[in-house]
């Protein structure tokens, strides 16, 4: 069928610079005429070979997902692409999209998501480009896309009827084949190659109750198939399994603040033995045992220490990586295993080269992200399955596994304090003021501790030599404790100041103590040294995780 293509004149928007994870804005910003189209045109133009290119396309199901997908289909047709592989209903979790890119060897993919940010007409929307390795485009590419948005004068779009996204099958639009596929099949198949499903099924079948909160976000269909289908859990194991455009009015962020009901259930006297949750686009995870919360930093360390229990990692791990603000718990495991540990800037895109080069097998971030070389994104359900495989192999409660881990490695007590939606100028001034004072800080005493180093974190990628500067201000103390300050690169209104607190202890009495109580002294020190109240007007964080 011939299609009618038009070239639409447009003018640049000056705010299309991708942040930590793609371009994220209020939904209303994305709904402005030409806003999405401009950015998509620049993504398509960034492809080394646009004519005949093949892409994966899907999103987390939030408000505006379907409309955006129809627009991208029409633009792909007009720009000479050969194929789009789209998840049924326009749904693809971020890790599932990453897998499809790799499995089908496409030229990349476009993922529509603002991850854990709330959705709906008054919420947020987002778009992210992934490269042929399945991972988020590195800065070199996102910066080139951004540069292109500043001079764009026209985009190409076809006049075609909407594709039925709910019907599996193929449609041809001019030279473009649009293939709508089952969103879950390939992902579920991949998980079965990595984990011992028989063992987990038997273990869960022994009357053990687990719950998984999909938070009305993208993992619902994946979790139902895997837990209630393949693993035989009773119906109702998956909570909030229906993806909704507004996530049921909730904040699809799997943490102690936003997965309240799950946390309450897990802390009840007769609570389940295992609980987990995932975020808007399915790449984050929260792991809970009965009356026990596993920090994401500890989760990475425990999985690294025990990786060989899972069939997919039976031969051991090549190395691990963690983002700089993530605790050093994984470093201790790597040291013991005799493998390398890399410290990268915040954001999954920095793990891509290390994974591609085979230098690391596992990686993670303190922000509830854990993953491996099976895809090039963090993967929420993967982490949950890894934990289930571990529990089934060890036949011990989560809390006991952690205590044993700390007995071997010591405990990196950890917390993050977020000051959300503070005034951007104030937040910038705080960072400038503190940054200017850092060089003189090493060797001085602060709050009874000696500063071992104080700097503005810069990273040189060991694979391609690219340098990323200004990735967070760090103050490390001689006793192993550390405070890190960063401004969020995913927020959409004002600024969010993140304060990361860490303290090492190998005193067994501390293994029973509450992290926040242990961290109170350095939390106060952080507030004081950065003059948080002075610059933000806030005397307490809005979210503590
Ligand atoms: C946050 C997290 C970061 C994570 C990013 C994307 O970024 O801190 O670790 O990679 O979100 O996660 P920032 O810049 O706001 O601190 V997701 O689940 O949005 O893809
Ligand atoms: Co996410």
């Amino acid at each position: 069928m011939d299609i009618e293509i038009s070239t639409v004149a447009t003018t640049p928007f000056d705010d299309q610079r991708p942040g930590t994870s793609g371009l994220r804005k209020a939904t209303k910003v994305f709904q402005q005429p030409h806003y999405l189209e401009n950015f998509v045109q620049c993504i398509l133009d960034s492809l080394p070979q646009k004519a005949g290119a093949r892409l994966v396309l899907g999103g987390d199901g939030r408000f505006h997902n379907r409309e955006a997908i129809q627009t991208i289909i029409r633009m792909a047709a007009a720009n000479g692409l050969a194929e789009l592989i789209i998840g049924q209903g326009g749904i693809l979790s971020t890790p599932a999209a990453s897998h499809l890119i790799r499995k089908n060897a496409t030229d990349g993919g476009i993922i529509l998501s603002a991850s854990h940010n709330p959705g709906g007409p008054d919420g947020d929307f987002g778009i992210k480009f992934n490269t042929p390795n399945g991972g988020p485009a590195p800065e070199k590419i996102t910066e080139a896309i951004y540069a292109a948005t500043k001079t764009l004068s026209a985009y190409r779009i076809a006049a075609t009827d909407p594709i039925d996204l709910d019907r599996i099958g193929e449609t041809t639009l001019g030279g473009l084949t649009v293939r709508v596929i089952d969103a879950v099949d390939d992902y579920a198949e991949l998980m079965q190659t990595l984990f011992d499903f028989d063992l987990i099924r038997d273990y869960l079948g022994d009357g053990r109750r687990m719950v998984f909160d999909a938070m009305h976000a993208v993992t619902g269909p994946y979790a139902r198939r895997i837990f209630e289908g393949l693993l035989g859990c009773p119906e109702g194991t998956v909570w909030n399994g229906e993806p909704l455009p507004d996530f049921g009015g909730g904040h699809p962020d799997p943490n102690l603040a936003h997965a309240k009901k799950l946390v309450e259930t897990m802390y009840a006297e007769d609570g389940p033995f295992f609980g987990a949750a995932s975020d808007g686009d399915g790449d984050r995870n929260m792991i809970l045992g009965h009356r026990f919360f596993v920090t994401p930093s500890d989760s990475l360390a425990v999985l690294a220490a025990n990786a060989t229990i899972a069939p997919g990692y039976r031969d051991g791990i090549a190395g691990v990586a963690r983002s700089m603000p993530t605790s050093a718990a994984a470093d201790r495991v790597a040291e013991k295993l005799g493998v390398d540990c890399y410290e990268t800037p915040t954001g999954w895109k920095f793990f891509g080269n290390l994974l591609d080069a085979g230098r690391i097998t596992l990686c993670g971030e303190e922000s509830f992200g854990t993953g491996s070389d099976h895809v090039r994104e963090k993967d929420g359900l993967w982490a949950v399955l890894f934990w289930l495989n571990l529990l089934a192999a060890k036949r011990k409660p989560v809390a006991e596994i952690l205590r044993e881990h700390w007995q071997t490695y010591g405990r990196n007590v950890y917390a993050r304090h977020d000051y959300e939606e503070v005034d951007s100028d104030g937040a910038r001034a705080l960072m400038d003021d503190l940054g200017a004072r850092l060089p003189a800080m090493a060797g001085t005493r602060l709050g009874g501790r000696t500063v071992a180093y104080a700097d503005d974190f810069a990273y040189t990628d060991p694979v391609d030599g690219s340098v990323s500067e200004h990735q967070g201000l760090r103050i490390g103390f001689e006793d192993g404790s550390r405070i890190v300050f960063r401004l969020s690169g995913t927020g959409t209104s004002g600024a969010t100041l993140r304060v990361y607190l860490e303290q090492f202890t190998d005193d067994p009495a501390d293994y029973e103590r509450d992290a926040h109580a242990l961290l109170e002294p350095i939390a106060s020190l952080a507030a004081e040294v950065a003059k948080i109240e002075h610059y933000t007007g806030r005397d307490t964080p809005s979210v503590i995780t």
Side-chain angles (χ1 to χ4, degrees), residues 34-58:
H34 312 311
Y35 194 88
L36 174 74
E37 291 85 344
N38 277 16
F39 194 72
V40 170
Q41 185 64 51
C42 295
I43 291 178
L44 298 179
D45 290 342
S46 80
L47 293 167
Q49 183 70 52
K50 186 167 71 168
R54 302 164 56 240
L55 293 179
V56 167
L57 173 62

Side-chain angles (χ1 to χ4, degrees), residues 20 24 115 279 283-284 365 367 378 486 488-490 498:
T20 313
R24 263 178 220 184
S115 189
D279 71 330
D283 56 1
R284 295 187 178 206
E365 297 190 275
S367 54
K378 55 188 184 263
R486 260 187 83 246
S488 158
T490 58
R498 303 202 194 285

Side-chain angles (χ1 to χ4, degrees), residues 174-324:
L176 176 75
T177 302
V178 179
R179 200 145 69 81
V180 176
I181 62 162
D182 182 283
V184 179
D185 282 350
D186 300 272
Y187 181 81
E189 190 184 294
L190 175 66
M191 290 302 116
Q192 291 171 84
T193 67
L194 299 174
F195 302 113
D196 190 339
F197 272 54
D198 291 336
L199 180 78
I200 302 173
R201 192 184 307 110
D202 287 351
Y203 185 65
L204 291 170
D206 260 353
R208 288 187 180 81
R209 187 174 153 237
M210 69 161 276
V211 289
F212 177 82
D213 189 353
M215 304 189 92
H216 284 305
V218 79
T219 47
Y222 296 85
R224 280 195 175 142
R225 174 88 64 87
I226 290 172
F227 299 125
E228 297 179 4
L230 297 168
L231 291 173
C233 294
E235 217 174 290
T237 298
V238 176
W239 292 2
N240 305 317
E242 211 64 61
L244 296 176
D246 66 346
F247 306 117
H251 198 134
D253 200 355
N255 61 33
L256 297 174
H258 296 301
K260 262 217 168 74
K261 186 168 164 235
L262 176 67
V263 174
E264 275 165 27
T265 302
M266 293 305 298
Y267 277 79
E269 189 143 357
D270 58 348
F273 88 104
F274 183 71
S278 193
D279 71 330
D281 62 330
D283 56 1
R284 295 187 178 206
N285 72 90
M286 175 166 66
I287 302 293
L288 296 160
H290 184 226
R291 295 189 157 168
F292 197 92
F293 162 65
V294 184
T295 70
S297 297
D298 276 343
S299 176
L300 173 64
V302 169
L303 295 184
N306 296 287
T308 53
I309 56 96
Y313 307 92
R314 192 148 279 158
D315 298 334
I317 56 172
V320 290
R322 62 167 173 85
S323 66
M324 182 273 283

